[in-house]
Amino acid sequence: MPEQGKRGRSRDSGRRQWAWLGAGAVVAAAVVAVVLTTLPAPPPDGRGTAGGGTDRPVAARESAAAAFPGGLARQPDADNQAARRAAEARADGERTTAERIDEIADQPVATWLTDPSERATRETVRRVVRSAEQQGRTPVFVLYAIPDRDCGSYSAGGTAEDAYLPWVRSAVRAMAGSHAVVLVEPDSIAQIHVCERLGQDRLRLLDRAVDELSGHGLTVYLDGGNEDRVPVATMARWLRQAGVDRTQGFATNVSNFYRVDQERAYAERLADAVGGDPHYVIDVSRNGQGWRGTWCNPAGAGLGQAPHVTRGTTGLDALLWVKTPGLSDGTCNGGPAAGQWWESYALSLVEHRRRD
């Protein structure tokens, strides 16, 4: 959208016979001035609003405490894979194994919505929301069912093209009013860099998903990649096109292993490039030992620091456990299929946990 030009006020000609016209012009100019002061300012890069090109309001970013009221909710046991496995181990007399897995199960972990069934998704959302309400804390959801998910790689799947927005809409109806935090489709934007067929269609779809998520009391973060994926200027442009101006911000390091200091530095650069002061969250579920040379089931990785909401003095809202520690990244480095529980890997993450 072209940069908006300046608007001047009409002036009275000073001629007595046209005085009534001059008075009318002054009134009209005053009305215009009031309207202009109430309109949202365009992003600092002058591109107007993101996505489809129509004027839409820029989100008012909340403080970290307001974005995560009460702190982070723990998953109910029905959705907590580590808790279920720890209970099984304890029932089998494997006390040491159960105690180690408890180090994962006892932490608040995001709930991933991956089932393309609208009914199953709503049931999961309602169960997690009820549990969070009982705790007086904030549930964190991850939408992960976008068409052509993972560009056909280890986590391939998702909904059909024409089913995605109805699926999002259904999930939103179940979340509405819960003050839930929603991370929208990790990897969906960053992956465009290596999967060009996704391109503008993917960004337009995400922009429409943001529309569906807006106005329901939810806190939304888009995919922000990580510090070693996409050039900052490119990622900022894609985020704007995906509608980041109408969200709380973006999430980085999801299912990855980079240290917090690296990701914060990257996120601050990205926020500056996006403009408009977006906030961000960082996944620290498995970054306790930092980058291990690969994103897919690296040896020697460890649990990161405990997830928590920040004091809100910077753009960083929270350090989250987004990825469930112990779930495989895919059939690489000896792992089972993506999303499957891999106990030996889970125990290794606990063994190499960051302890400071």
Side-chain angles (χ1 to χ4, degrees), residues 118 122 161-171 173 212:
E118 292 183 20
R122 287 195 303 270
E161 192 76 30
D162 61 354
Y164 183 66
L165 291 175
W167 178 82
V168 172
R169 200 173 299 126
S170 179
R173 284 197 297 268
E212 298 293 346

Side-chain angles (χ1 to χ4, degrees), residues 177-323:
S178 68
H179 302 290
V181 168
V182 185
L183 278 56
V184 180
E185 302 295 343
D187 213 29
S188 61
I189 298 178
Q191 199 163 49
I192 296 172
H193 193 56
V194 293
C195 189
E196 294 182 1
R197 72 168 183 260
L198 302 176
Q200 293 301 310
D201 288 343
R202 169 64 60 82
L203 296 173
R204 280 190 289 268
L205 186 59
L206 289 168
D207 181 65
R208 294 178 67 188
V210 169
D211 278 344
E212 298 293 346
L213 288 155
S214 298
H216 300 281
L218 307 175
T219 300
V220 179
Y221 298 89
L222 287 172
D223 169 40
N226 62 59
E227 58 101 9
D228 198 31
R229 291 287 305 273
V230 182
V232 167
T234 301
M235 195 68 191
R237 183 176 73 252
W238 288 344
L239 277 166
R240 286 192 296 266
Q241 291 175 308
V244 71
D245 287 346
R246 307 190 314 281
T247 71
Q248 178 79 354
F250 54 86
T252 80
N253 205 43
V254 173
S255 299
N256 224 305
F257 302 88
Y258 292 98
R259 299 193 316 267
V260 172
D261 58 342
Q262 293 175 277
E263 284 300 291
R264 287 192 69 171
Y266 160 74
E268 290 292 339
R269 294 195 304 272
L270 182 57
D272 287 344
V274 168
D277 193 30
H279 292 208
Y280 56 92
V281 294
I282 300 173
D283 184 0
V284 297
S285 57
R286 305 184 300 174
N287 73 343
Q289 298 299 323
W291 175 249
R292 306 294 299 174
T294 178
W295 63 268
C296 195
N297 299 326
L303 301 177
Q305 58 187 287
H308 62 275
V309 180
T310 71
R311 296 180 180 178
T313 57
T314 68
L316 174 62
D317 285 343
L319 300 178
L320 303 176
W321 280 19
V322 181
K323 173 78 174 187

Side-chain angles (χ1 to χ4, degrees), residues 19-98:
W20 65 276
L21 287 176
V26 170
V27 171
V31 171
V32 169
V34 170
V35 171
L36 287 175
T37 59
T38 62
L39 288 173
D45 64 359
R47 288 177 174 82
T49 54
T54 57
D55 289 327
R56 286 175 285 189
V58 175
R61 269 84 189 213
E62 297 183 303
S63 67
F68 294 83
L72 301 171
R74 184 179 176 275
Q75 287 179 312
D77 286 348
D79 300 280
N80 188 325
Q81 291 167 282
R84 294 200 305 269
R85 176 57 196 131
E88 292 172 357
R90 194 167 280 111
D92 292 339
E94 302 172 14
R95 181 177 176 181
T96 300
T97 296

